[in-house]
Every structure is written in C-alpha cells, then in structure tokens.
Amino acid sequence: MNLRPILFGSTLLIAGMAAATAWAWQQIPDGVQLPVHFGIDGKPDGFAPKAEALLVMPGLAIVLTLLFLVLPKLDPRRENIEASAKFWNAAALTAVALLAYVHGLLIATALGQGIDMTSALLPALSVMFMVLGNYLSKTRANWFGGIRTPWTLSSDYAWARTHRVAGTLYILSGVVSLAVWAFIGTSAAFIALVGGIVVASILSVVLSWVFWRQDPSRVAGG
C-alpha cells in the first residue's frame, strides 16, 4: 500500500505545527493559563498551562499519523485496505490537517485574537465530512476504515451498497451545515452537522442489515 502521501503530507503539517509552537512559546509568558476548550457559543470554558496548550495537538498529530501508517499492516483483509488507499490517505491527511488548523486557532486565541472557535471550526469540520464522504464509496471491506458492522464485514455487497449511501449522506450533511453556517448562524449549523452525521450513521447501520439480507449470493445460497 502506498503510504507515502500520508508520510509526506503529515510530516509537512507536523513540521509546520512544531514551527508555530516554537514561535508561540517565545511570545507567551510562562505560568499563564491558556484556553484549550470551548463551549458551543465559541467562548473558552477550559484552560491549561502553556506546555499542554501548545504541545497536545502536535503530539496527537504524531500519534494519529503513526496509527494510519501501522494499521494497514495489521488488517486481516490487507488486500482490501490496500484497494481503499485513496480513502485511507484522504482520511489521514484530513484528520492531521484538522489538528493543525485547530492548533493554529489555539495559538491565535492564546495571543489574544478574538476568535469564535465554534464558528471557525464549523466549516473545517463540514469540509472534512464532505471529503470523507466522497471517498467512502471507493472503499472495500476492511477492519479499520468505514461503516464496520457484522453485515458489511460479512458481505461485500452490503459493504458496497452501504458505503455508497453513507458517502452521499456525509457529503449532504457537510453541504447543508455549510449553507446553514453561511446564511443562518453557527449554532444552527453545528446542530445541523451533528444531527446530519448522527442520522447518517444510524441509517447506515440499519441499511447495512437490509443490504446484507438482499445480498444475491446470500439469497442464492439459502
């Protein structure tokens, strides 16, 4: 499986996070408590020391990158996850890019920039789900990425049909939330995104069972 896009892209993103951390470290006094958690209104409601605030996101990015590099080697259906390389690479890079974006927002907030964190995060999350939805339909049954239910993992037919529907629903959730964010407001958009993803996930699980029952090879076999 070609994991070079993950290795190259994540390395650049993590290097950028490290450079931003080194620069911000010099700008922020020791002993201050920096905002690291925000409510749905975008205002900080949790604080942490400088080291935690500036190092957690780069650390998470490193751990996440290592997981995306190692997990394909552990999958019992390795040939399928190799065939899902576009989805796997897109998921990894999108996740690390989101962490880098959040890291930049945290640094800006720590330096006194008046950022509405929820409003700033909403479009990034929407785009992330749109990207993942676009690649979901291109995956094959594997143990680490996608809608993994007993029915999708035991039926390639159920996997393919379920992921086509799930991909469309995730894209639609992202598009709707972006539209709501642009024309109505952040709180409504957040509810639209979370609601859309929850509905899409529940519906995907139910449909995986329906498609499993409709699997021609299963029906023909008994």
Side-chain angles (χ1 to χ4, degrees), residues 171-196:
I171 292 172
L172 184 60
S173 297
V175 171
V176 170
S177 64
L178 277 178
V180 173
W181 174 74
F183 296 106
I184 299 178
T186 301
S187 297
F190 183 80
I191 293 171
L193 179 62
V194 173

Side-chain angles (χ1 to χ4, degrees), residues 77 143 147-156 158-159 205 208-209 212:
R77 305 187 72 176
W143 285 89
I147 311 298
R148 299 176 304 284
T149 70
W151 308 291
T152 56
L153 291 174
S154 61
S155 165
D156 288 341
W159 178 283
V205 171
S208 71
W209 176 78
W212 171 76

Side-chain angles (χ1 to χ4, degrees), residues 92-172:
L93 292 175
T94 302
V96 175
L98 180 64
L99 290 176
Y101 178 64
V102 172
H103 187 57
L105 292 177
L106 290 175
I107 289 176
T109 302
L111 294 175
Q113 300 297 317
I115 294 176
D116 183 328
M117 187 64 74
T118 305
S119 183
L121 271 177
L122 195 284
L125 290 172
S126 299
V127 170
M128 181 186 74
F129 280 107
M130 291 165 64
V131 171
L132 294 179
N134 178 62
Y135 285 101
L136 266 182
S137 62
K138 302 174 177 64
T139 63
R140 294 186 184 177
N142 67 87
W143 285 89
F144 295 117
I147 311 298
R148 299 176 304 284
T149 70
W151 308 291
T152 56
L153 291 174
S154 61
S155 165
D156 288 341
Y157 175 85
W159 178 283
R161 293 289 302 275
T162 298
H163 283 74
R164 279 199 292 271
V165 174
T168 300
L169 292 176
Y170 282 178
I171 292 172
L172 184 60

